[in-house]
Amino acid sequence: MKNKWYALALGMGLALTAACGSDSSEPAEETPVFLGPNEKADNFYSESAQEYFVRGKAELKLEPEYATATEEERLQRIAELIPYKQVQIGFFLNTYLIDKSGDSENADYGGMKALTKNGSYEDMDIVKVDDLTYTFNFVQEIGGQFDLLRELSRAANAQEMEDGSYRFSLAVGVLTNDQMTQLDHEQEWYRRAPWSSFSPTSVDASQIYYQDIELVPQERSRDAWMDYERLFEDGKLEIGAFFGWDYHGEYHRVHAESTYNWLVRRGFQSPVSSWAEYATNRGPLTYTLDANGQEVEVAITLWWGEPGTETDPDTDAGGRRLENEMRSSFAEHDVIMFSGHSGPWYGFALANWKKTLEGDLDDSEVPGLDMPADRYQVVLAEGCDTYALGQAFWANPNKSDRQNLDIVTTTSFSNAATSKVVTDFLDALVGTSSGNRHEPTRYGKMLKSMDSASYWFKTMYGVHGIDDNPNGHPYGNKDALCGECRSDADCGGAGNKCVTLEGSNVCTFECTSDAGCPDGYTCRETSTSGWLSDNYCMPTSFSCDDIPVAEEPGLIITEVLADPADDSAGDANRDGVRHFSEDEFIEIHNPGTKAVELAGYTIEDNVMVRFTFPLGARIEPGQKVVVFGGGEPQGFDVPTFKSEGLYLNNGGDAVTLSDRDGRMVDYVSFGREGGRDQTLVREGEALVLGGLPTPGE
C-alpha cells in the first residue's frame, strides 16, 4: 500500500497570457519499402514533452508535545503530515520549474518549461532519526521539455550522476506543521505572501531550506490511436465543447463561433439557421459518419458565456449554468472539450472570475465528478499549464484504473488567440474523407499539429492514459496481411497499405508497436524515396513465405493483493507479522508447456519498476511464482521472491510484467476495489474481488 494523496487546488497565482487503386496507364504509386533487420532509419525522434520522476528524502519534525507520546502515536502523526509535506515540496518545485509571464513578480526565478503533476505523490520508507524527527523517501512526477535535464544542469548547477539521474538543490519555504495543513479552499498558505510569488531573493534566508532533488526521465510511451472502437461501439458519439471566459478579446465567443462555422462547413447540421440564433437556442450539431462500415451519429453541443442569456459569464446564475452543464457532460458524454484560461492548478475557468465566484471547476473538484466507470471517454484540456489535470482525473475513483480515459493537456502557455487546437482535436476525432468515411488519426500526428498553433513559445501538448490505447490502426485488415497488391485500395480502407517486401508488393496496415500487430508479425519502419515514413506490420521472419505460427500462451498475472487486511488474514507472506506493505503480493502463472527463465523480467506499477527477477529465477510449466512486498515468506510450495516494496495504490493502480528486453508480457489494472482488504483475482482480462488471499495456490 502506498499513500497517493491528491492535494487541494494550488491557486491562481500565474499571470495568464494570450500567447495562454489506379489504371495501368497511369504512373504507379510509390510503395514504401520495409527497412531490413540491420538497416536503420534516421536516428532521430522528437516529442515536445517528456515525463520525469522527482525523488528525494524529506524530513519532518513533530511538535514538542509528542516527546512523551508512544511510537505508534508518533508514526500516526507522521503519516498525517506526509501528504502536506508533499504539497509543500510540490508547490516550490513547480514555482521553480514553471514558465512565468514577463510581468510576474518572480519572472526571473527558474522557468524551465515544466510542471509538476499535482497529486502524483508517493511516499515510503519512514525512518526515525530521533524522538521527534523522521525522514521519508518521496517520488513525484513532472512533465517538461525534452532537454529539461540539460537546462537544469545549466541554470541550477544540476549534477549528472552515474545512474543517469540529475541532482540539484531546491529552495523550499520553511513552514510549521500548522502552516502546512492550512489548505482550506481559497485560504491555502501558498496564496499568501511571501509564498504566492516566491523566489529565494524575495525572502529572508532564515525562511528557506534547501531540499536535495533527484530527477530521472521516465520511459516514454508509444504513440497510439484513440480507442475509436469503444467510442463508436453504440453507434453514437456525444461531445460537449466548452469555451472558457476570456479577458483579452472575448475569445470564448470568437472561438465558439469559429468552431460552429467549422462544423457547418464540414456538413454538420445545426438546430438553427444561423450562428446568431444558436446563442439563445443551444442544441447539438449533428453528423453521420461511416466508421469502417458502421454508421455513427455524432452530436456536439457548444457552450460559452453569452451576455444577456442564461449563460451570462458575468453573473452567478450564468456561471452556475455553465459549470452544471460541464458537470453533466462529464457524466453523460463520450468526449468533453475545454478551451480557455487555466493554470496550475485551477482547472476549467468557465465564467468571468472578476465578477463571480461561480463557473469554475477546479482541479480539486475533478476527483469528485460523476463520471462513468465502465465507459471510455476523451478529455481535451486546452489552456495554459493544464498538465496537472492528468493526475486529478486519475484521482477520480471511477477513472483510477486509467483504462477508460485519455486526457490531452498542455505543459506550458497555450495560444488563447486561436481555435486551431479545438478544430485539430475535432478533425482527429471525427475527420472524414470522401463519402463521409472516417479517417482515424494517431495521437502523435494530432499533437504535432496542435503544437504548431503557437509559433513564439512551446505549448507542449501531450496525452495522459495512452498506454492501453490501440497500437494498430483501428481499421487494419488482418485478413489481407501479406496478400498481393498493386495499390492501397487492394488492401482495404483507411490505414491499410500496399508496401514492398523482398521485391514484392504485399498488404499490411499501420502500427506504432508490436502490440498492434497479430502473432507472427512485428511493427517495422518503412522508407519512401529514402525518407522515413510510417510503421507497418510485417512478418517477424521478414518474409511472407515464412510467417511464424502463434506462440503458446505467455505468462499471466493471476492475483494481486494491494491492501492486506488489518488482522492475521493480512499476513499473506506467512512470516508471522501483518505489514501494510510487505504482505502485498503479485502472483504470476505459466499456462504454457515450457519453462520460462525469468532473470531480467520486471514488475512495475503506475509509477516505476518495483522488482527485477534475479539470475536463476525460473517458472516451470503450469507453475506459479509469487512476488511479495517484503518480509520473510515462509511455507510456500512455489517459488517466492521479495521486493524492496511493491507500493500498490489501494485507490487504483496497474501492474505490468515485462520481459528482459522491455516487451510487455502481461498487464492488469484495478480501481478503488483494491482498497477493500481483499485480494484481487484474474477473471478474463479483469481483476475482481477474491476474498482471502491465496498466493501460490
Side-chain angles (χ1 to χ4, degrees), residues 547-605:
I547 302 174
V549 297
E551 298 179 0
E552 62 177 39
L555 305 181
I556 57 175
I557 301 165
T558 47
E559 187 172 353
V560 175
L561 180 63
D563 184 23
D566 293 334
D567 55 20
S568 59
D571 181 20
N573 62 15
R574 305 176 189 172
D575 64 357
V577 179
R578 183 269 171 196
H579 192 276
F580 72 91
S581 176
E582 294 178 354
D583 285 303
E584 292 182 341
F585 71 81
I586 295 166
E587 178 188 82
I588 299 167
H589 177 227
N590 179 7
T593 60
K594 299 179 181 178
V596 177
E597 301 295 336
L598 292 173
Y601 278 55
T602 61
I603 292 174
E604 63 181 302
D605 66 352

Side-chain angles (χ1 to χ4, degrees), residues 361-650:
L361 188 57
D362 288 343
D363 283 35
S364 58
E365 298 175 89
V366 170
L369 287 174
D370 179 14
M371 300 181 73
D374 58 351
R375 182 148 55 92
Y376 172 69
Q377 294 175 294
V378 182
V379 174
L380 170 66
E382 155 64 359
C384 293
D385 307 311
T386 60
Y387 173 76
L389 276 166
Q391 190 65 30
F393 280 102
W394 299 145
N396 187 298
N398 286 343
K399 299 299 181 182
S400 59
D401 63 358
R402 308 189 183 200
Q403 298 296 290
N404 292 306
L405 185 66
D406 297 345
I407 316 110
V408 178
T409 66
T410 68
T411 317
S412 188
F413 301 137
S414 67
N415 188 355
T418 179
S419 60
K420 182 181 185 301
V421 170
V422 172
T423 54
D424 280 351
F425 181 81
L426 285 171
D427 196 43
L429 189 64
V430 295
T432 59
S433 61
S434 60
N436 295 354
R437 288 191 293 270
H438 181 236
E439 293 276 357
T441 300
R442 284 183 288 107
Y443 265 125
K445 183 177 179 180
M446 181 194 78
L447 296 172
K448 288 177 182 177
S449 183
M450 288 179 170
D451 280 333
S452 70
S454 304
Y455 295 102
W456 57 98
F457 53 82
K458 293 173 65 176
T459 300
M460 296 183 289
Y461 290 91
V463 57
H464 307 253
I466 196 173
D467 284 351
D468 64 320
N469 286 38
N471 296 117
H473 194 281
Y475 303 151
N477 185 359
K478 295 181 181 179
D479 293 335
L481 282 170
C482 270
E484 293 183 1
C485 58
R486 295 178 61 191
S487 68
D488 294 348
D490 296 332
C491 302
N496 295 278
K497 196 77 175 173
C498 184
V499 302
T500 300
L501 178 63
E502 291 189 317
S504 300
N505 288 353
V506 296
C507 290
T508 183
F509 59 80
E510 191 179 357
C511 57
T512 59
S513 77
D514 290 351
C517 302
D519 290 337
Y521 288 80
T522 184
C523 190
R524 295 287 300 187
E525 297 164 327
T526 60
S527 67
T528 304
S529 298
W531 293 90
L532 176 66
S533 52
D534 294 324
N535 292 2
Y536 292 92
C537 295
M538 62 161 286
T540 55
S541 63
F542 210 68
S543 171
C544 283
D545 296 327
D546 182 23
I547 302 174
V549 297
E551 298 179 0
E552 62 177 39
L555 305 181
I556 57 175
I557 301 165
T558 47
E559 187 172 353
V560 175
L561 180 63
D563 184 23
D566 293 334
D567 55 20
S568 59
D571 181 20
N573 62 15
R574 305 176 189 172
D575 64 357
V577 179
R578 183 269 171 196
H579 192 276
F580 72 91
S581 176
E582 294 178 354
D583 285 303
E584 292 182 341
F585 71 81
I586 295 166
E587 178 188 82
I588 299 167
H589 177 227
N590 179 7
T593 60
K594 299 179 181 178
V596 177
E597 301 295 336
L598 292 173
Y601 278 55
T602 61
I603 292 174
E604 63 181 302
D605 66 352
N606 273 332
V607 176
M608 65 175 70
V609 172
R610 299 296 186 180
F611 180 71
T612 300
F613 283 92
L615 288 174
R618 175 185 175 97
I619 182 169
E620 300 293 337
Q623 189 181 51
K624 294 179 178 179
V625 299
V626 184
V627 178
F628 289 97
E632 299 297 332
Q634 298 179 17
F636 291 92
D637 296 327
V638 300
T640 60
F641 303 87
K642 61 178 182 178
S643 70
E644 296 298 320
L646 295 172
Y647 300 107
L648 299 170
N649 185 9
N650 295 354

Side-chain angles (χ1 to χ4, degrees), residues 242 303-305 311 313 318-326 350-351:
F242 296 82
W303 292 97
W304 73 97
T311 62
R320 283 192 294 269
R321 175 67 186 276
L322 289 167
E323 183 175 341
N324 288 338
E325 291 294 344
M326 192 174 209
L350 297 162

